[in-house]
Amino acid sequence: MELHVWGSYKDGVISNFDPECLAAIYYIMFTETDVKVVPSSNSFNYKLPYLKKNDGEAISGYESIVAYLEKENGGKLDNWLSNEQFLLNNGLKVFIMDKIHSLTQYVLFLNKENYEQYTRGLFKKLLPFPMQYNAPLVYRDDAVKRCSNVGLNLDTGMLLGGVGYEDSTIEELLESEKKLKNTPNLTRLHSQKQQEKLNELLLRKNSINNMHCIHLAESYYNRILEFSRENNRNDDFSLFIFGEQLSSSDLLFFAQLNCQTLDVLPNNFMKIYLNFKFPNLIAKLEKFNNEFVNFKNLNIELPKDKDYPSLFNYIKTCL
């Protein structure tokens, strides 16, 4: 079997911007499942990550992949959970993908600095010309929808339950931005001044949106930690959510955190905030990465034939 994920189809380096791909790799790693990891970046037919079975059938998405492999492997990861914990574990994964993932998408695809200076450029290494231009736009559109679903509207400044947060400031910025864009440029100097003002407005708008994201993060992470305490006899230092053993929700949660706190991000506001507000959470993440994550032992294979992310293969899928 093959696990297809985002990564360099040339040198096999795994990309770290997609938490579902990372979580699926963690699962393969911890359960020692005999699966080749293929950094194909090929999402023409299926959403990454997807598991390509020996008969050619594909299973897409972290939750579906784990469900299939747990059934095939006799429950290597979650079999120790009680019936109640098993149901809670599944519910927690839904919460993580619905709420926590929206924060990840904002950090990587909607934060102006991170998207323009880091995330968008990744796709030049992951996909050949001209496909590297469309993929980040698809992710960005999905990020806008996800953020809107959790009550974070980047243009109106609305938060949970329709409660406004800095509404008047956002409206003023949007109005100023509209005026600047509609003002004709008379000279090169005038055009330069207009662009400087517009850039300043965009930075202010980005800062307010970051605060909105942090507002949501505080609520979501407090709920995760409270849930963990309830399942660990009020122990704040237990590494995993259901005790001293891993669960599939732990893997997904740590994958989301890793994507949100990448050191290479130009605007690492989320990591700064989490270090300040939730230092125990960051300590758990670092322990998880240092003691459990090791990509060196993965069986990585470069994509070939129809799995290669070429323009020719893409056109074939459209026919």
Side-chain angles (χ1 to χ4, degrees):
M1 292 187 289
E2 298 174 350
L3 176 66
H4 287 252
V5 297
W6 284 104
S8 173
Y9 60 93
K10 294 181 179 179
D11 56 22
V13 175
I14 304 296
S15 191
N16 55 6
F17 73 89
D18 189 298
E20 283 196 81
C21 286
L22 285 182
I25 292 173
Y26 294 162
Y27 180 89
I28 299 300
M29 186 186 309
F30 286 109
T31 58
E32 298 181 343
T33 305
D34 185 18
V35 173
K36 296 176 182 177
V37 177
V38 183
S40 65
S41 297
N42 187 339
S43 58
F44 305 152
N45 294 312
Y46 309 99
K47 181 182 180 298
L48 294 168
Y50 66 85
L51 182 72
K52 189 175 181 181
K53 296 164 57 179
N54 294 330
D55 61 4
E57 181 185 353
I59 300 171
S60 180
Y62 172 72
E63 176 62 16
S64 298
I65 291 171
V66 168
Y68 173 78
L69 291 178
E70 283 287 280
K71 183 179 179 180
E72 290 294 302
N73 296 333
K76 280 189 175 181
L77 189 65
D78 290 336
N79 63 338
W80 65 276
L81 296 171
S82 67
N83 290 336
E84 180 182 2
Q85 287 175 326
F86 183 80
L87 294 175
L88 290 172
N89 181 57
N90 288 338
L92 185 57
K93 283 183 285 188
V94 172
F95 177 83
I96 291 171
M97 285 306 301
D98 182 37
K99 307 298 184 183
I100 306 298
H101 189 57
S102 65
L103 305 180
T104 304
Q105 292 291 78
Y106 173 82
V107 169
L108 293 173
F109 291 94
L110 296 185
N111 178 275
K112 178 178 172 60
E113 292 175 75
N114 292 339
Y115 178 70
E116 293 182 354
Q117 298 178 36
Y118 175 70
T119 315
R120 184 170 60 186
L122 283 177
F123 290 87
K124 294 180 181 179
K125 303 175 183 177
L126 305 178
L127 293 167
F129 178 87
M131 293 175 294
Q132 73 265 36
Y133 297 112
N134 184 59
L137 295 178
V138 172
Y139 265 82
R140 188 172 169 85
D141 287 343
D142 182 60
V144 170
K145 293 175 183 177
R146 284 184 179 274
C147 286
S148 179
N149 287 340
V150 298
L152 175 54
N153 189 311
L154 301 183
D155 284 334
T156 63
M158 297 299 290
L159 278 174
L160 294 172
V163 179
Y165 184 80
E166 299 283 357
D167 285 355
S168 59
T169 305
I170 284 286
E171 289 176 2
E172 290 173 8
L173 290 176
L174 290 173
E175 185 63 29
S176 299
E177 182 181 350
K178 182 179 179 180
K179 288 180 179 179
L180 282 172
K181 288 182 177 179
N182 292 333
T183 302
N185 296 318
L186 304 177
T187 65
R188 179 179 296 181
L189 179 61
H190 182 257
S191 175
Q192 182 179 346
K193 293 293 184 182
Q194 292 288 87
Q195 188 60 48
E196 289 176 357
K197 291 180 180 179
L198 184 59
N199 289 340
E200 182 182 348
L201 286 174
L202 291 175
L203 285 175
R204 290 176 60 192
K205 182 180 174 183
N206 198 50
S207 296
I208 292 175
N209 288 333
N210 289 349
M211 292 300 297
H212 293 174
C213 184
I214 285 173
H215 180 90
L216 291 174
E218 182 169 2
S219 171
Y220 296 160
Y221 285 123
N222 273 326
R223 289 164 73 178
I224 291 280
L225 292 175
E226 180 61 30
F227 181 84
S228 179
R229 279 192 290 269
E230 290 175 358
N231 286 276
N232 284 288
R233 300 178 182 178
N234 295 319
D235 181 5
D236 287 329
F237 298 97
S238 178
L239 181 58
F240 305 123
I241 293 172
F242 291 99
E244 294 305 316
Q245 284 186 260
L246 268 170
S247 67
S248 53
S249 56
D250 283 303
L251 298 183
L252 185 59
F253 183 54
F254 282 128
Q256 297 283 354
L257 280 175
N258 271 323
C259 291
Q260 291 177 20
T261 59
L262 292 171
D263 289 330
V264 294
L265 292 177
N267 189 340
N268 218 331
F269 73 95
M270 184 61 81
K271 185 172 185 178
I272 294 172
Y273 168 73
L274 292 177
N275 265 313
F276 172 74
K277 188 69 177 181
F278 301 102
N280 285 347
L281 191 58
I282 293 297
K284 291 180 182 182
L285 178 64
E286 291 175 349
K287 184 176 181 179
F288 172 79
N289 289 335
N290 293 333
E291 297 185 9
F292 298 99
V293 177
N294 184 1
F295 285 2
K296 294 181 180 179
N297 295 327
L298 290 174
N299 183 7
I300 297 177
E301 183 176 279
L302 294 179
K304 52 189 176 183
D305 301 330
K306 63 180 180 180
D307 293 324
Y308 193 83
S310 66
L311 181 60
F312 176 73
N313 281 336
Y314 172 69
I315 293 174
K316 284 175 63 178
T317 64
C318 298
L319 298 178

